[in-house]
Amino acid sequence: MTRSNPHVTEDCRAVSAVLARIGDKWSVLIVSRLGNGPIRFNALKREIGGISQRMLTLTLRGLERDGLITRTVFPTVPPRVDYALTALGRSLLVPVSALGDWARKNRSRIEEAQAKFDRAAEPKRTSAGRAASGPAVTHAL
């Protein structure tokens, strides 16, 4: 395969790398929560139900590595650690919020399309209770 435009491949890689970081549910939830201001690790863990300590730690490290959050350690006993969005992380709030809004607005339409697709994919039963054979039919949504 020849490449007529070398920038397309690089653009795809760049988008894929960003989506790999922010495309998981934990990163989106963490970034959204940090939009309200800095927060300590345990408070963040309590607010994001269902996340393990290990997964929270790994996700925070990845977000920090990508420049989306900062980690500030305060010299207290025990040490206090706060996490906050960087300017780059704050700029991510706009598209993340837009995507969340879009998902909430279109959830029922997506569920309807999925149900319609699933019904069409089910094998049809004959009066004898056997699956009918025949060509697959594709329906436009």
Side-chain angles (χ1 to χ4, degrees):
M1 181 172 166
T2 61
R3 293 192 306 176
S4 60
N5 186 347
H7 300 289
V8 173
T9 301
E10 276 307 307
D11 288 348
C12 284
R13 286 185 187 138
V15 170
S16 293
V18 169
L19 288 177
R21 164 56 50 220
I22 63 162
D24 67 271
K25 68 179 180 178
W26 302 124
S27 292
V28 169
L29 289 172
I30 290 168
V31 167
S32 296
R33 171 49 192 89
L34 290 176
N36 297 329
I39 189 168
R40 293 176 74 172
F41 182 92
N42 285 328
L44 187 57
K45 186 174 182 309
R46 277 191 303 275
E47 288 190 23
I48 299 178
I51 191 168
S52 68
Q53 183 164 333
R54 175 170 165 69
M55 183 54 65
L56 180 56
T57 298
L58 291 173
T59 305
L60 288 168
R61 281 185 190 153
L63 292 168
E64 184 180 12
R65 181 176 182 260
D66 291 345
L68 299 172
I69 67 169
T70 58
R71 179 179 185 268
T72 305
V73 180
F74 295 92
T76 59
V77 178
R80 178 179 144 195
V81 180
D82 282 0
Y83 294 90
L85 291 176
T86 62
L88 181 61
R90 281 190 299 280
S91 72
L92 182 59
L93 286 172
V94 173
V96 163
S97 297
L99 182 59
D101 291 344
W102 182 90
R104 283 186 290 279
K105 285 181 199 171
N106 291 289
R107 179 176 169 182
S108 62
R109 292 175 64 192
I110 292 169
E111 289 171 351
E112 289 169 14
Q114 290 170 341
K116 184 177 178 180
F117 181 91
D118 293 345
R119 282 192 304 273
E122 290 176 1
K124 303 296 182 215
R125 299 283 173 186
T126 65
S127 59
R130 293 186 312 258
S133 61
V137 178
T138 302
H139 300 280
L141 298 179

